[in-house]
Amino acid sequence: MIKRFFDKLLGKSAPAAAKNPFGKRLEIGPEVHGINPALVDERANNVVRTLKNAGFEAYIVGGAVRDLMLGLAPKDFDVATNATPEQVKNLFRRAFIIGRRFRIVHVIYGRGREHEVIEVSTFRAYLDNAAAEQVAGNEKTSKSDLAGMKHAVDSTGRVLRDNVWGPQDEDAARRDFTINAMYYDPETQIVVDFHHGMKDAKARSIRMIGDAATRYREDPVRIIRAVRFAAKLHGLGFSLEPKTASPLVKSQSLLLEVPQSRMFDEMLKLLQTGHALASIDKLKELGMARGIYPLLDVVVERAEQPFVKAALLDTDRRVGEGKPVAPSFLLACVLWADVRDGWVKRLAARQHSHPALMDAIDDAFNARIGDVSGRGKLASDMRDIWTMQPRFEKRTGSAAFGLVEQPRFRAAFDFMRLRAENGELEEVLSDWWEAFSMADDNLRNDMVDAVKLEQQQRPKAARTPRVHKLPTRSADGLPAALSTAAAAPIPYDQNDADHVQAAATDGTEAPKKRRRKRRSPSRGAGEGATGGAGEGEGQGEVQGASQAASRPETQN
């Protein structure tokens, strides 16, 4: 005290007190924060209630509290507690511990597409990363070294393990943004705030807790999260605080060390939260349009193309309406140009239509996605969407009935509808399939018969030659098929018409295809009663396409 007195007399300023990294606990009542309890999901309420009844602390935490404070209905609810993952799991019938880097619990409600996941995390301790166990490689190359470690970093300071439990104030300090570090108790309706998150929410500021550059180094994915929140909240007037935004570009190279599977997931979050176009605009605004992730570079590059932009707008619309969205559909739209161009190139080289399409799809996967998706359900769904596109042009016989029963028909139809809306197909085709998909069997039969009749009534000059190969020439120079009444046209694949026309101009012969055997008229009615009217037209090719589309690896 005497020293401070003499320092004051001599005009010396007292050293600034060290800032408490854990902040100061503030409890904010409902009259101040204004959260409407009716916006809280009952399943999240149930998780909090169950944990508290078992003697633990429990709060709704993160972005859900921010959204509730802004008067928005959160799409996801996370819960934080002082119970360990094992203790949480034991309290719920359908609960699963997931993750290695951060061990958390998923509590599952409902089944199928209607299921809801409440993510429950344990309060984590705030630890000095300089004192953490260090590994030489990264999370992917050092799996054996990381086994059993609770707190570990790599040589760059990136946190690879963070599973040391601690008190609530330390848990708040290790979260990323102040507006995501508030805790809400739905029973007492108290908001707990350690880092002035409510103040920043009112000021519409997105601010990192602690030094931004250090926090980006600890977990580079926070770079993408900063962009995502800035895009998502831009419409509400939020912006990145300057000290939070300034290290973003310089820190971008840190993302190269993040496992590709995690980057793939973060890219999907960026594009599927209902603000895909806003996120792309924010990346451009921040000077980060390239270099985050190769596939994201393609999305940003093609975002202004009418077809891709329509797909992004459609995704944003569906999220806004609370409808489900699938990453397979959006990525199929983004990479369609690669598939289509590769398909056309192979057709020009006289490759048959279906193999040409399959090869073009494989090339697109290898060039743009690699092994990230594991060639699993995502790749299977994308493949189904693409391989169904030629089949939409076949509307006679049993082809239409078989196509509409495919598990991925709706996604493939939506894809075809976007193609039609952007001038790649006639919109009448999209309208026909929309009506066909909702009609009963009688009306479907009438629609198919009408298409067949329309095709038969077309002028012969307007019809595409229904042959697999060029007819041979007779002595008078006319096609032999015109000089002999015995010749009959052979059913063909509509996608081979271009091959026929190309061959007609250069005098070469189109690739031969196996002719389908015709049934003898003398055979019994029971032997030939497998198909309806019009089924013979292109049936061999339809069956081949159906078999290819129903192979085990292409099913959902």
Side-chain angles (χ1 to χ4, degrees):
M1 180 181 290
I2 296 174
K3 184 177 184 300
R4 286 201 301 270
F5 175 75
F6 280 107
D7 286 341
K8 188 175 181 180
L9 286 177
L10 296 173
K12 294 181 179 180
S13 58
K19 188 175 181 180
N20 180 10
F22 306 140
K24 181 180 179 181
R25 180 186 178 98
L26 296 175
E27 295 189 354
I28 305 168
E31 67 283 354
V32 178
H33 60 64
I35 290 178
N36 179 4
L39 295 176
V40 180
D41 191 298
E42 182 53 38
R43 291 161 290 198
N45 275 331
N46 182 64
V47 171
V48 171
R49 189 183 309 116
T50 301
L51 287 164
K52 292 183 73 174
N53 289 342
F56 299 107
E57 295 179 67
Y59 300 86
I60 293 171
V61 68
V65 181
R66 177 202 67 224
D67 289 348
L68 289 168
M69 198 171 287
L70 295 172
L72 305 175
K75 290 189 169 50
D76 300 300
F77 284 84
D78 297 339
V79 171
T81 178
N82 61 347
T84 66
E86 290 76 15
Q87 290 170 329
V88 174
K89 184 178 186 300
N90 291 336
L91 290 173
F92 299 94
R93 185 173 62 88
R94 297 180 64 207
F96 307 92
I97 299 175
I98 67 167
R100 291 185 296 268
R101 186 170 178 271
F102 299 124
R103 294 180 70 228
I104 58 178
V105 180
H106 278 180
V107 179
I108 313 296
Y109 289 88
R111 295 186 182 277
R113 288 189 174 183
E114 302 302 320
H115 82 284
E116 177 72 20
V117 176
I118 305 297
E119 190 172 284
V120 183
S121 61
T122 303
F123 294 153
R124 285 177 171 78
Y126 185 90
L127 300 175
D128 184 358
N129 291 325
E133 297 179 88
Q134 191 172 102
V135 296
N138 56 38
E139 190 168 10
K140 186 176 181 180
T141 61
S142 305
K143 287 183 178 179
S144 59
D145 296 336
L146 289 167
M149 291 185 180
K150 292 185 175 181
H151 185 217
V153 297
D154 65 10
S155 57
T156 68
R158 184 166 69 92
V159 178
L160 304 182
R161 289 289 185 274
D162 188 4
N163 291 304
V164 181
W165 319 131
Q168 185 183 15
D169 60 344
E170 294 188 22
D171 182 74
R174 54 160 296 283
R175 294 182 178 271
D176 45 21
F177 304 102
T178 60
I179 57 175
N180 293 341
M182 294 181 283
Y183 303 77
Y184 176 63
D185 184 338
E187 293 190 341
T188 64
Q189 296 187 40
I190 295 295
V191 169
V192 179
D193 184 5
F194 291 93
H195 298 280
H196 305 292
M198 184 173 177
K199 179 181 177 182
D200 286 339
K202 288 185 175 180
R204 300 297 193 258
S205 177
I206 303 172
R207 179 170 61 88
M208 181 69 73
I209 298 173
D211 178 66
T214 301
R215 303 306 302 278
Y216 293 142
R217 188 163 56 251
E218 290 173 355
D219 184 4
V221 167
R222 286 177 176 145
I223 297 168
I224 304 177
R225 285 169 59 83
V227 175
R228 177 153 55 91
F229 289 135
K232 177 180 179 179
L233 301 174
H234 176 75
L236 298 174
F238 280 79
S239 61
L240 289 168
E241 183 250 353
K243 290 183 179 179
T244 300
S246 59
L248 282 172
V249 175
K250 190 180 297 184
S251 303
Q252 186 174 325
S253 59
L254 297 170
L255 291 168
L256 297 175
E257 299 300 321
V258 178
Q260 292 295 290
S261 58
R262 191 174 178 213
M263 288 297 299
F264 187 79
D265 290 341
E266 290 299 326
M267 179 199 69
L268 295 182
K269 290 179 184 178
L270 196 69
L271 299 175
Q272 292 194 283
T273 55
H275 306 87
L277 286 172
S279 297
I280 291 171
D281 289 342
K282 184 59 66 174
L283 287 170
K284 293 177 180 178
E285 176 188 325
L286 294 170
M288 302 169 66
R290 296 192 63 83
I292 289 183
Y293 184 64
L295 187 53
L296 182 59
D297 290 349
V298 178
V299 177
V300 175
E301 178 184 328
R302 297 180 179 177
E304 293 303 318
Q305 295 178 4
F307 182 64
V308 176
K309 188 172 185 177
L312 292 168
L313 284 169
D314 195 57
T315 300
D316 286 349
R317 176 188 60 80
R318 290 183 63 87
V319 173
E321 294 175 356
K323 296 179 180 179
V325 293
S328 55
F329 180 84
L330 180 57
L331 292 181
C333 292
V334 171
L335 298 182
W336 173 239
D338 294 337
V339 173
R340 182 192 60 213
D341 294 349
W343 188 23
V344 170
K345 182 178 179 181
R346 285 171 171 79
L347 291 178
R350 309 299 177 81
Q351 187 175 349
H352 286 181
S353 179
H354 187 70
L357 178 57
M358 300 303 288
D359 288 347
I361 290 172
D362 287 339
D363 284 353
F365 277 137
N366 293 334
R368 301 298 192 184
I369 295 183
D371 294 328
V372 171
S373 68
R375 289 294 200 272
K377 188 176 187 306
L378 176 82
S380 175
D381 289 349
M382 292 172 67
R383 189 180 295 272
D384 284 351
I385 289 171
W386 286 329
T387 54
M388 285 188 205
Q389 296 310 301
R391 299 175 64 188
F392 281 109
E393 310 223 13
K394 300 172 183 177
R395 295 178 289 160
T396 56
S398 63
F401 292 90
L403 181 57
V404 81
E405 297 300 326
Q406 293 294 317
R408 295 292 296 165
F409 167 80
R410 195 68 211 182
F413 167 78
D414 287 342
F415 187 92
M416 185 268 290
R417 175 179 54 81
L418 280 182
R419 291 175 63 205
E421 289 175 356
N422 286 274
E424 196 172 318
L425 297 170
E426 292 184 2
E427 289 200 48
V428 66
L429 191 66
S430 171
D431 295 338
W432 190 93
W433 279 102
E434 176 72 23
F436 186 84
S437 66
M438 296 187 294
D440 59 26
D441 285 344
N442 290 331
L443 181 55
R444 287 180 178 180
N445 281 317
D446 292 342
M447 293 177 69
V448 169
D449 290 343
V451 170
K452 182 182 178 183
L453 182 61
E454 179 188 351
Q455 292 177 352
Q456 291 174 343
Q457 291 177 345
R458 289 177 187 168
K460 290 186 177 181
R463 297 181 191 175
T464 308
R466 295 185 174 278
V467 291
H468 277 308
K469 62 180 183 178
L470 285 178
T472 57
R473 300 269 171 179
S474 61
D476 57 4
L478 294 175
L482 299 180
S483 60
T484 172
I490 302 171
Y492 89 122
D493 186 339
Q494 182 70 30
N495 293 310
D496 286 337
D498 291 338
H499 304 172
V500 175
Q501 294 173 359
T505 59
D506 62 13
T508 60
E509 191 169 276
K512 294 182 179 179
K513 295 184 72 173
R514 181 177 298 173
R515 179 174 177 176
R516 183 174 65 85
K517 292 182 179 179
R518 293 180 175 276
R519 296 187 183 277
S520 171
S522 62
R523 296 177 66 175
E527 290 181 315
T530 58
E535 193 168 292
E537 185 174 319
Q539 182 64 23
E541 288 70 43
V542 172
Q543 289 175 343
S546 298
Q547 291 167 359
S550 61
R551 290 179 300 177
E553 67 267 24
T554 62
Q555 294 302 306
N556 289 333

